[in-house]
């Protein structure tokens, strides 16, 4: 029997169904007495009639009630409503370990930390004479506070002084039923041999399951597998899993040995207590395995003395700080090494959601530069020597993206504040070289020439690295784009991407002769192309980084492409991938990922008020005027975007529009009455209005424009503000369109600077917008007049970041005499009071909101119309920092084909 929203069990009112859990259904409910959200587990109706089922359900309640531990899901209450028995438990926010492992293995530091928390919980249960019996990734929840062990429904209390008295009572449930050839079984894969053989069990069966779980955390692979129940059972009883080092060569031998001991077939040969396991894991976490370095690394140091990446296995602290080490090269071949590292806690790359690149190895392989933002809000270029040492921020590089090196490894080029710039790697003055309104890549030749793409459309340009006049390299029609240049070794030829804007369906990698100006198509690939010695062309296909032999003298490919990395961070909109390759075989790349986020309410002091619905991969949220609905844009790994309209009261969403690809972005603004939305079409050439409930056909508001999207709807319902790209001048302007159609869409504020993201104040008297008039993106506010624009007053002083996934300059609060924006320097949400008297606008001092805490990078949000609450899509993962993967001597992968 299933129960609907609104059903009650005593004081508990159901608000949503969460799914099945062991012996019953699980629901989200509100405790009306204590006004808190809880989880209710109800005994399945088809089992309620059996005495055995009722007894097992009652046993679960008694078992859990004895367990009070920070890493065990808490039991609040147990009861019966008529014939329905139920448990009331702690409601957890997060994802299961099984769901996390579906994305790949955990970083070593997380594997060890989560392992410690799991065995600490098991140790508590075992000391009370309780064996879990069904430990598996699906019964471990990852929350912001750490792991939570779930579902003791199969646990059986045993005498504390005799932990071997009972046999397995009943078969555990399966994670995945065996439904056909190739399917895999669930819980059986974590069952100790004595469980499968029906023998008496004790706490050591949980340690076997823990070993299988720890193996999966470290490798992303199951320790035992099979395509039939018999094959799987045989693997558990007689087989041995592949060594962890097969998948993770740099795993500490101490961890490898611990897992092997936990998985011993004979339980007398197995590690004997959860406490012993915990002590060993703590020793590893504290660096106790440093003296026991991975054999692959030792061999590498003795053989070639080349690149040695000292990762978490050798030092967990080093792993947190990029885990990179560098030794001098020697000619002896070295083995292929793969590893995953974590950025410092809270650091995010500049590539997130932007299609820019963030990683660049110096040509001499001595340094790595990263375009990123630290946890404390500092943004720019971070440099680290591969010989060791700390990351250091290069001064005056705020907002930098797409770094690239000079051939001598002494200087770094980058884009920031709509400029092409350079900075000495050793530190020093930043020099602006050229305008770059919306840059799309650059390359630095050995002759001191930089070729770059200054905008998302148009041709390539060149400038001397010493500065000077900018000259045209390629001329293309208005709807075409040349971008992502990459010099070949001769300095005369370069690779680039040619495409049509905004179609991009016919993109190709071409070769340009700088002396003749002739461009020759090379490959029909919708990706950038990069050349690397000893003679390969690298590009991305279906998320895989491909390497194809390339003759740099004859300018042609000579063989078939081979995949050298999977799931590389790639922007199909910009054709750009975030990787860097050295000529000596080192590959660094950012892995693509989708972050699940939970819609969460906060007040403007930063206090959490509650969450809404289920987690989803939100990348934009726009709250309706009544604060009861929200438009959400969801991202998927293949680059598809989906628009959903969410009912915040019920926590459910429905599809609003057909999915689009990246580059055909959704932007919506609500009408003042919340009945309609203005949205751009897929090509970015027109604006339509659509009824929010879908009952009326779409109505064209403006058409025949270029790269247009709506930003605000006037409070009287008569006008919609637009951001429009000037097809001739290349700058962004503010336009307005009449909803009634009495006047065609027309420019409102158009200068040589970039203006856009306009937002009407709640009373319609003011217009906020961003402009690059000062040389950086700042927030301005001006009196609004239908007759034309007035002089704007600058509100910010250190730059603003259009943030939260909402295309708006600022967030009007309350009556419209207060506005908030995201300050670029500290990544804080700050508010400014405004006073408009006698046509003069007076601006107060900025003061931080949300308790002064910096906003988490990449987490979309919007502020309610009354200015009292903020709805944010908060990551449910503890560490959302992007994964950076390392492959040494990647050319070995080509030899295996």
């Amino acid at each position: 029997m299933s129960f609907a929203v609104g059903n009650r069990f005593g004081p508990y009112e159901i608000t949503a169904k969460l799914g099945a859990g062991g012996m019953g259904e699980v629901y989200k409910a509100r405790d009306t007495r204590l006004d808190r959200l809880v989880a209710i587990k109800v005994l399945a109706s088809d089992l309620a009639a059996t005495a055995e089922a009722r007894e097992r359900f009652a046993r679960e309640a008694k078992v859990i009630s004895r367990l009070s531990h920070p890493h065990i899901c808490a039991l609040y209450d147990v009861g019966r409503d008529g014939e329905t028995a139920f448990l009331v438990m702690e409601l957890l926010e997060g994802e299961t370990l099984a769901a996390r492992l579906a994305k790949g293995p955990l970083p070593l530091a997380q594997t060890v930390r989560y392992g410690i928390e799991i065995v600490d919980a098991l140790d508590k249960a075992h000391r009370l004479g309780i064996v879990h019996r069904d430990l598996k990734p699906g019964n471990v929840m990852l929350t912001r506070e750490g792991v939570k062990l779930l579902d003791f429904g199969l646990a059986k209390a045993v005498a504390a002084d005799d932990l071997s008295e009972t046999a397995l009572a009943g078969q555990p449930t399966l994670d995945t039923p065996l439904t056909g050839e190739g399917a895999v079984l669930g819980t059986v894969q974590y069952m100790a041999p004595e469980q499968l053989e029906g023998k008496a069990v004790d706490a050591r069966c949980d340690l076997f399951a823990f070993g299988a779980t720890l193996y999966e955390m470290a490798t992303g692979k199951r320790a035992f597998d099979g395509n039939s129940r018999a094959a799987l059972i045989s693997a558990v009883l007689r087989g041995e899993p592949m060594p962890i080092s097969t998948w993770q060569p740099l795993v500490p031998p101490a961890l490898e040995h611990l897992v092997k001991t936990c998985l011993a077939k004979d339980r007398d040969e197995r590690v004997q207590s959860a406490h012993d396991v915990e002590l060993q894991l703590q020793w590893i976490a504290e660096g106790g395995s440093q003296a026991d370095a991975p054999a692959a690394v030792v061999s590498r140091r003795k053989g070639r003395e080349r690149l040695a990446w000292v990762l978490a296995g050798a030092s967990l602290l080093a792993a947190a700080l990029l885990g990179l080490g560098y030794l001098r090269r020697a000619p002896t071949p070295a083995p292929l090494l793969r590893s995953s590292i974590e950025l410092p806690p809270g650091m995010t790359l500049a590539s997130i959601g932007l299609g820019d690149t963030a990683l660049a190895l110096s040509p001499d392989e001595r340094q790595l530069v990263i375009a990123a933002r630290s946890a404390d809000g500092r943004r720019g270029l971070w440099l680290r020597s591969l010989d060791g040492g700390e990351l250091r921020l290069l001064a005056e590089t705020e907002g930098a993206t797409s770094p690239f090196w000079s051939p001598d490894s002494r200087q770094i080029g980058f884009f920031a504040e709509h400029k092409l710039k350079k900075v000495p790697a050793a530190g020093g003055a930043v020099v602006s070289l050229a305008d770059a309104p919306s840059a799309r890549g650059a390359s630095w030749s050995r002759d001191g020439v930089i070729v770059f793409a200054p905008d998302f459309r148009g041709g390539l340009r060149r400038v001397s690295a010493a500065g000077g006049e900018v000259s045209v390299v390629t001329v293309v029609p208005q709807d075409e784009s040349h971008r992502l240049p990459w010099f070949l070794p001769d300095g005369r030829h370069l690779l680039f991407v040619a495409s049509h804007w905004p179609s991009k369906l016919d993109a190709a990698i071409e070769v340009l002769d700088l002396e003749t100006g002739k461009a020759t198509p090379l490959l029909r690939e919708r990706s950038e192309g990069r050349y690397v010695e000893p003679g390969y062309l690298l590009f991305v296909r279906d998320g895989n980084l491909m390497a194809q032999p390339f003759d740099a003298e004859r300018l042609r490919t000579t063989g078939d492409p081979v995949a050298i990395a999977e799931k590389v961070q790639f922007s199909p909109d910009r054709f750009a991938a975030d990787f860097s390759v050295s000529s000596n075989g080192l590959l660094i790349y950012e892995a693509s990922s989708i972050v699940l986020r939970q819609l969460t309410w906060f007040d403007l002091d930063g206090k959490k008020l509650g969450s809404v619905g289920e987690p989803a991969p939100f990348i934009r949220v726009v709250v309706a005027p009544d604060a009861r609905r929200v438009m959400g844009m969801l991202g998927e790994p293949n680059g598809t975007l989906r628009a959903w309209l969410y009912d915040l009261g019920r926590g459910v969403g429905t599809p609003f529009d057909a999915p689009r690809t990246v580059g055909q972005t959704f932007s919506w603004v609500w009408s003042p009455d919340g009945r309609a939305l203005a949205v751009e079409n897929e090509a970015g050439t027109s604006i339509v209005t659509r009824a929010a409930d879908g009952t009326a056909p779409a109505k064209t508001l403006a058409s025949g424009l270029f790269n247009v999207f709506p930003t605000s709807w006037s409070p009287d319902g008569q006008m919609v503000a637009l951001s429009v790209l000037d097809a001739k001048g290349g700058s962004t302007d503010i336009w307005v369109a009449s909803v009634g159609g009495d006047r065609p869409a027309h420019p409102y504020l158009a200068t040589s600077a970039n203006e856009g993201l306009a937002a009407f104040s709640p009373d319609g008297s003011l217009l906020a917008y961003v402009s690059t008039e000062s040389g950086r993106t700042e927030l301005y506010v001006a009196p609004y007049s239908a007759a034309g624009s007035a002089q704007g007053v600058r509100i910010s002083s250190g730059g603003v970041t259009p943030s939260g996934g909402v295309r708006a300059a600022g967030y009007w609060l309350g009556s419209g005499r207060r506005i908030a924006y995201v300050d670029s320097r500290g990544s804080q949400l700050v508010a400014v009071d405004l006073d408009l008297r006698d046509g003069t606008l007076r601006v107060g001092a900025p003061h931080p909101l949300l308790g002064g805490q910096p906003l988490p990078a990449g987490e979309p949000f919007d502020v309610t119309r009354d200015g009292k609450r903020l709805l944010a899509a908060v990551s449910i993962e503890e560490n959302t920092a992007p994964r950076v993967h390392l492959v040494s001597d990647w050319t070995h992968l080509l030899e295996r084909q």
Side-chain angles (χ1 to χ4, degrees), residues 412-616:
I412 303 168
F414 63 97
F415 296 100
E417 298 175 332
H418 311 290
K419 300 284 186 180
L420 169 67
K421 302 183 178 185
K422 68 174 183 176
V423 63
V430 172
V431 176
S432 293
L433 299 174
D435 290 334
S438 185
R440 294 297 189 270
S443 185
W444 196 321
S445 79
R446 295 173 182 173
D447 299 324
V449 173
I450 297 176
V451 172
F452 65 105
D455 215 331
F456 65 88
R457 62 190 178 90
L460 301 173
R461 301 290 184 267
R462 97 161 82 190
V463 66
S464 169
E469 184 179 351
V470 176
S471 60
V472 174
V473 176
T474 61
V475 178
V476 299
Q478 178 179 307
D479 62 343
E480 291 187 13
S481 169
H482 287 175
R483 60 179 66 190
L484 298 166
W486 189 266
F487 271 106
L488 294 178
D490 63 6
R492 170 177 171 174
H493 296 89
L494 58 80
L495 305 170
F496 70 97
V497 176
S499 71
H500 283 82
W501 195 95
S503 169
K504 304 188 179 69
L505 296 178
D506 58 351
I509 301 171
E510 299 191 4
V511 181
L512 176 69
D513 186 326
L514 289 173
E515 291 187 5
T516 66
K518 180 182 179 181
T520 304
L522 181 64
L523 286 179
R524 283 289 179 186
E525 296 289 345
R526 299 179 66 246
S527 163
E528 66 176 306
R530 301 191 201 176
Y531 175 82
V532 63
E533 297 288 2
Y536 292 96
L537 175 66
L538 271 58
F539 59 91
V540 174
R541 178 188 292 171
D542 298 327
N544 301 314
L545 183 61
M546 313 295 291
Q548 185 167 7
F550 180 73
D551 188 328
E553 293 183 358
R554 298 183 180 181
L555 304 177
R556 66 183 184 184
T557 56
T558 60
D560 295 327
V562 174
I564 61 173
E566 300 177 343
K567 298 180 180 179
V568 176
Q569 181 71 28
F570 178 71
S571 170
D573 176 31
R574 298 193 178 187
F575 315 107
D578 200 15
F579 71 94
S580 186
V581 181
S582 74
S583 59
N584 292 303
L586 179 64
L587 164 65
I588 298 182
Y589 68 94
E590 178 189 355
S592 61
S593 62
I594 290 294
V595 178
L596 293 179
R597 295 185 170 96
Q598 176 72 59
L599 291 177
T600 307
W601 283 112
F602 295 87
D603 64 21
L604 294 191
D605 291 326
K607 179 182 178 182
K608 182 178 177 180
L609 303 177
S611 58
V612 179
E614 300 301 320

Side-chain angles (χ1 to χ4, degrees), residues 17-79:
K17 182 176 180 179
L18 300 179
M23 294 289 292
E25 304 279 348
V26 182
Y27 296 88
K28 182 178 180 180
R30 178 173 297 278
D31 183 341
T32 57
R33 296 172 305 180
L34 301 179
D35 192 28
R36 65 177 175 183
L37 295 175
V38 297
I40 290 186
K41 187 172 184 180
V42 180
L43 183 62
S45 58
D46 57 338
L47 299 177
T50 67
E52 179 184 3
R54 289 193 294 270
E55 179 183 349
R56 290 180 66 191
F57 192 73
R59 184 175 69 231
E60 179 177 4
K62 292 179 181 178
V63 168
I64 300 176
S65 68
R66 297 170 60 187
L67 298 174
S68 176
H69 190 277
H71 298 302
I72 296 177
C73 183
L75 174 69
Y76 294 149
D77 195 6
V78 61

Side-chain angles (χ1 to χ4, degrees), residues 32 59 105 131 150 298 303 322 400 410 430 497 603 617 631 702 724 731 757 798 812 861:
T32 57
R59 184 175 69 231
V131 182
L150 309 176
V298 174
L322 279 182
R410 295 182 178 180
V430 172
V497 176
D603 64 21
M631 284 297 303
V724 180
S731 62
L757 308 181
W812 289 103
F861 71 90

Side-chain angles (χ1 to χ4, degrees), residues 66-397:
R66 297 170 60 187
L67 298 174
S68 176
H69 190 277
H71 298 302
I72 296 177
C73 183
L75 174 69
Y76 294 149
D77 195 6
V78 61
R80 180 178 293 273
D81 189 277
E83 296 299 317
T84 304
F86 61 90
L87 301 175
V88 182
M89 308 174 73
E90 178 184 8
L91 180 65
L92 301 177
E93 295 183 359
E95 67 176 345
T96 66
L97 177 59
R100 169 59 185 84
L101 291 177
K103 308 171 188 174
L106 299 176
L108 180 63
Q110 276 191 348
T111 296
V112 174
R113 180 164 58 84
Y114 289 164
I116 290 173
E117 293 173 354
I118 293 170
V119 291
D120 190 44
L122 288 176
D123 182 49
K124 171 70 173 182
H126 293 170
R127 289 175 187 269
L128 292 175
I130 298 166
V131 182
H132 190 289
R133 296 175 182 256
D134 197 24
L135 177 64
K136 58 187 178 182
N139 276 338
V140 177
M141 181 71 77
L142 306 181
T143 73
R144 287 184 176 273
E145 293 73 35
V147 306
K148 290 281 189 175
L149 204 52
L150 309 176
D151 205 349
F152 278 81
L154 298 174
K156 184 177 179 66
V158 297
D161 58 348
D162 183 7
L163 289 178
S164 61
E165 72 169 62
T166 58
L168 181 65
Q171 285 290 329
T173 56
L174 300 179
D175 279 336
T176 306
L178 184 63
T179 57
E181 187 66 20
V184 294
L185 298 174
T187 299
V188 173
Q189 291 169 315
Y190 309 95
M191 291 174 66
E194 61 266 28
Q195 284 180 283
L196 292 173
E197 293 172 345
K199 296 178 180 179
V201 299
D202 57 30
R204 290 173 291 182
C205 76
D206 282 350
L207 301 183
F208 184 97
F210 174 76
T213 300
L214 195 62
Y215 180 100
E216 194 169 340
M217 291 161 65
T219 67
K221 313 288 184 181
R222 290 187 172 180
F224 305 100
D225 222 333
N227 58 10
S228 69
R229 188 182 187 87
L232 181 55
I233 292 174
S234 176
V236 175
L237 294 177
R238 288 173 285 278
E240 295 290 345
M242 296 285 288
I244 295 177
S245 57
T246 302
W247 316 108
Q248 297 290 351
L250 298 182
V251 65
L255 182 63
E256 181 96 68
H257 178 73
L258 175 60
V259 171
K260 185 176 181 179
T261 306
C262 287
L263 294 177
K265 309 298 183 186
D266 185 343
R267 58 185 166 189
D268 290 332
E269 299 296 324
R270 208 174 293 158
V271 65
Q272 296 295 294
S273 75
H275 183 63
D276 290 340
V277 175
E278 183 177 1
L279 291 178
Q280 292 190 49
L281 286 173
Q282 288 176 343
W283 179 72
I284 294 172
E286 293 166 0
S289 61
Q290 288 182 12
D292 199 8
V297 174
V298 174
S299 173
R300 187 174 182 80
R301 289 173 178 168
K302 291 181 178 179
R304 191 177 181 186
E305 290 188 334
R306 191 170 172 252
L307 290 171
W309 295 86
V310 186
L311 300 175
S315 172
L316 293 176
L317 177 60
L321 296 174
L322 279 182
L324 302 176
Y326 179 86
L327 297 178
R328 290 179 296 177
R329 299 181 294 278
T332 306
L336 173 73
L337 295 179
R338 295 178 182 270
S339 56
S340 298
I341 62 174
E342 291 183 274
L343 296 177
M347 176 169 278
T348 55
L349 299 184
S351 60
I352 295 297
L354 299 177
D356 294 313
T357 55
L359 306 172
L361 280 166
S362 63
D364 63 7
E365 283 190 340
R366 295 182 179 275
Q367 299 182 90
L368 173 68
V369 64
I370 306 172
R373 192 191 87 170
S374 64
D376 59 5
R378 291 179 296 162
R379 306 188 318 149
L381 296 179
W382 298 79
L383 196 66
R384 190 183 192 279
S385 169
L386 299 188
D387 290 320
E390 301 287 337
L391 280 168
R392 63 183 175 90
L393 178 63
L394 294 176
E396 299 181 22
T397 61

